[in-house]
Amino acid sequence: MKKIDLHTHLTLYPDLVPTRLNGSRFLCTEEQLEVHDKLNVELGVILPLIAPEAQWMTMSNEEAKIISDRHPNRFTWFCNVDPRQGSYRSDVDLGHIISHYKELGAKGLGELTTTLYADDPMMDNLFSHCEQLDMPVLI
């Protein structure tokens, strides 16, 4: 049975990505495809990482789109939007950013790793825009 990997992080630039303290690192596209092949994974959902305080490294929405575009039968992608974007306010229109990535092919928003409480007004603002735009959120 073929599988879907709903939690894929990888990099276009393996030589630029630091090794984590535990010795692991993000895989490049070819390495991830090898892992998926061994595990019989048909499709990987790429999740960008944009909140630097929550990550060892970041991965842009644009990198996720590039990888997905290069391997459309093996990867799809979610976008990631930080609810603090725009000025740390809870009334910022995040809809235009989310719409931009949705129009580029993002299937959802995530992995959401911003270090804010789920009921923070900025998070409420993000969730509201995702709901209006019919974008699922992966936390």
Side-chain angles (χ1 to χ4, degrees):
M1 174 194 313
K2 292 284 187 176
K3 302 170 189 140
I4 296 174
D5 178 354
L6 291 172
H7 194 151
T8 303
H9 300 297
L10 62 157
T11 181
L12 284 171
Y13 312 105
D15 296 336
L16 302 178
V17 175
T19 302
R20 295 180 184 125
L21 294 176
N22 67 6
S24 67
R25 64 176 176 79
F26 277 32
L27 302 179
C28 69
T29 307
E30 293 73 24
E31 292 169 321
Q32 188 67 56
L33 287 171
E34 287 177 17
V35 170
H36 281 175
D37 288 344
K38 287 179 186 174
L39 297 174
N40 206 24
V41 172
E42 181 176 20
L43 183 71
V45 180
I46 302 170
L47 305 174
L49 300 167
I50 63 167
E53 78 277 6
Q55 306 301 325
W56 189 251
M57 62 159 282
T58 59
M59 178 191 189
S60 71
N61 294 306
E62 293 75 16
E63 287 178 82
K65 179 183 175 3
I66 289 168
I67 294 168
S68 181
D69 285 351
R70 288 181 182 170
H71 303 276
N73 296 325
R74 299 299 305 272
F75 293 110
T76 190
W77 64 289
F78 277 26
C79 67
N80 205 333
V81 174
D82 191 315
R84 299 169 294 187
Q85 284 179 246
S87 69
Y88 276 81
R89 293 188 356 235
S90 61
D91 62 348
V92 172
D93 179 9
L94 299 174
H96 76 284
I97 299 169
I98 297 166
S99 291
H100 168 76
Y101 290 119
K102 185 174 183 177
E103 290 170 12
L104 289 175
K107 304 297 185 208
L109 186 136
E111 166 186 10
L112 187 58
T113 58
T114 305
T115 54
L116 295 171
Y117 289 108
D119 63 352
D120 184 288
M122 287 184 283
M123 295 291 282
D124 287 340
N125 184 45
L126 177 67
F127 295 145
S128 176
H129 283 98
C130 288
E131 180 181 25
Q132 291 169 20
L133 295 166
D134 198 30
M135 287 290 273
V137 178
L138 179 65
I139 299 174

